[in-house]
Amino acid sequence: MSMIWDVVIVGGGPAGLSAAIYAPRAGLSALLVEEAVPGGQLLEAPAIENYPGFTESIPGVELAERMRAQAERLGAQFQAARATGLAQRNGEWVLATSAGEVRARAVIVATGARPKELPARGAKERVGRGVSYCAVCDGYFFRGKDVLVVGAGDGGLTEALVLSHLCSKVYLVVRHPQSDPHAIRAKEALRDQALSQPNVEVLWNVVVDEVRGEGKVEEVVLQDLATAEKRSVPVDGVFVKIGWKPNTDWLRGGLDLTEGGYVRTDSLMRTDRAGLFAAGDVRDPTGRRAQAVVAAAEGALAALSAEGYTRSL
């Protein structure tokens, strides 16, 4: 495309789609570049019950389609392409993509992050059918059931605490022995709060070897790291919190990232590079929650900041 866009949005999750709604409403020409079908992690949610404005649950796919339709109605355009690099040239931003270069006055990075997958047989095939990477999103569907949480950091203990108020039994898998003072890496206050719940049980020095079930999760196979023995535990759900990986490989070398690869911004979604903004799960996760409504709000802020920037040129 030979034109210079006011703003190019990279990533089509809730942050990018929200930015694509707000930017044209502010009078900006806006292009959203997304390699896959727009929607991001919304596409993996069978039902969403905590997004404002919906009295009944809505499939994540439908919510994403509505957001895209709204953005298109307001004037945003979409391009299916993979971002491969970003640079400044003659006072403009030049986004390199698998479909060619795109020029813009401002860029909003909203490429999100993906959870690190549980390295166990059968886990990937059962995502959305009992395997989940978000207790706040999916815990409601496991009310009164038995679940297992994988992860001994802040994320895992937060998941266990959330689920303890919903589920009958919460098993917490820890891959280190109880005698290891660093077995649970979560903050002490969070650890004490979660482990004090009467329905939370820690399974020490084990890993999940396999997730089983006909059409949905029915049991997990745990392997003892000391003896190599395996045993089955019947559960209805498996919640995984073993870390995230931001989708920023295409930005390395062109932007100051955190050690974990996240984008640093201020409260208005501005990076340390003029005209470059970021929103959603691609941002430094310190102090924020990975929720669709949070990402959407950040996308709106990024678009408004981009408007202010382009008006000042």
Side-chain angles (χ1 to χ4, degrees):
M1 296 184 180
S2 60
M3 72 174 290
I4 303 176
W5 298 87
D6 288 326
V7 60
V8 168
I9 302 154
V10 189
L17 289 170
S18 179
I21 290 169
Y22 271 75
R25 288 189 74 251
L28 305 181
S29 59
L31 174 70
L32 188 148
V33 176
E34 166 60 61
E35 179 181 11
V37 176
Q41 293 183 50
L42 290 177
L43 303 180
E44 300 177 7
I48 295 175
E49 296 195 329
N50 57 356
Y51 198 88
F54 296 92
T55 56
E56 302 293 333
S57 65
I58 180 173
V61 171
E62 183 180 344
L63 179 57
E65 290 174 347
R66 290 193 185 193
M67 293 176 76
R68 173 173 182 160
Q70 185 178 8
E72 289 181 321
R73 178 179 63 81
L74 292 167
Q77 296 189 38
F78 287 72
Q79 181 179 10
R82 182 181 72 258
T84 58
L86 183 65
Q88 280 185 302
R89 187 186 305 160
N90 299 324
E92 301 168 358
W93 285 101
V94 179
L95 175 71
T97 80
S98 56
E101 290 187 345
V102 179
R103 300 156 62 198
R105 296 181 176 87
V107 173
I108 297 174
V109 177
T111 44
R114 57 191 182 277
K116 293 181 180 177
E117 296 182 353
L118 178 65
R121 290 175 293 165
K124 186 174 183 179
E125 296 82 355
R126 291 172 179 81
V127 172
R129 295 184 295 161
V131 174
S132 171
Y133 289 83
C134 178
V136 174
C137 309
D138 301 326
Y140 181 80
F141 304 107
F142 293 84
R143 290 172 298 168
K145 297 183 178 182
D146 294 348
V147 299
L148 180 141
V149 175
V150 184
D154 286 348
L157 272 291
T158 298
E159 298 281 279
L161 184 60
V162 169
L163 293 167
S164 71
H165 300 303
L166 299 168
C167 302
S168 176
K169 182 76 173 183
V170 180
Y171 295 103
L172 177 66
V173 167
V174 179
R175 61 177 298 122
H176 299 284
Q178 188 173 3
S179 58
D180 184 347
H182 304 294
I184 294 181
R185 303 179 306 279
K187 296 182 180 67
E188 184 176 359
L190 176 59
R191 180 193 64 198
D192 293 345
Q193 188 178 9
L195 300 190
S196 68
Q197 303 302 312
N199 59 341
V200 173
E201 179 181 344
V202 180
L203 304 177
W204 300 97
N205 209 36
V206 296
V207 294
V208 178
D209 180 70
E210 185 177 2
V211 181
R212 294 175 177 173
E214 294 296 327
K216 62 179 182 178
V217 172
E218 295 176 346
E219 66 176 4
V220 295
V221 177
L222 302 178
Q223 182 175 20
D224 190 296
L225 292 176
T227 64
E229 293 181 357
K230 297 182 180 180
R231 64 185 174 102
S232 297
V233 177
V235 292
D236 301 290
V238 177
F239 289 82
V240 185
K241 269 291 181 292
I242 55 177
W244 292 81
K245 180 176 175 57
N247 299 314
T248 55
D249 289 345
W250 62 283
L251 282 172
R252 291 190 181 276
L255 183 63
D256 181 29
L257 304 175
T258 69
E259 184 177 347
Y262 292 93
V263 181
R264 294 187 178 93
T265 75
D266 63 11
S267 60
L268 295 178
M269 308 300 117
R270 299 175 298 195
T271 70
D272 60 357
R273 303 282 296 278
L276 182 59
F277 308 86
D281 292 352
V282 76
R283 292 181 61 233
D284 183 349
T286 304
R288 70 179 301 276
R289 290 291 186 93
Q291 293 292 296
V293 68
V294 173
E298 292 176 356
L301 275 172
L304 294 173
S305 292
E307 176 199 9
Y309 170 78
T310 57
R311 300 290 186 233
S312 68
L313 295 178

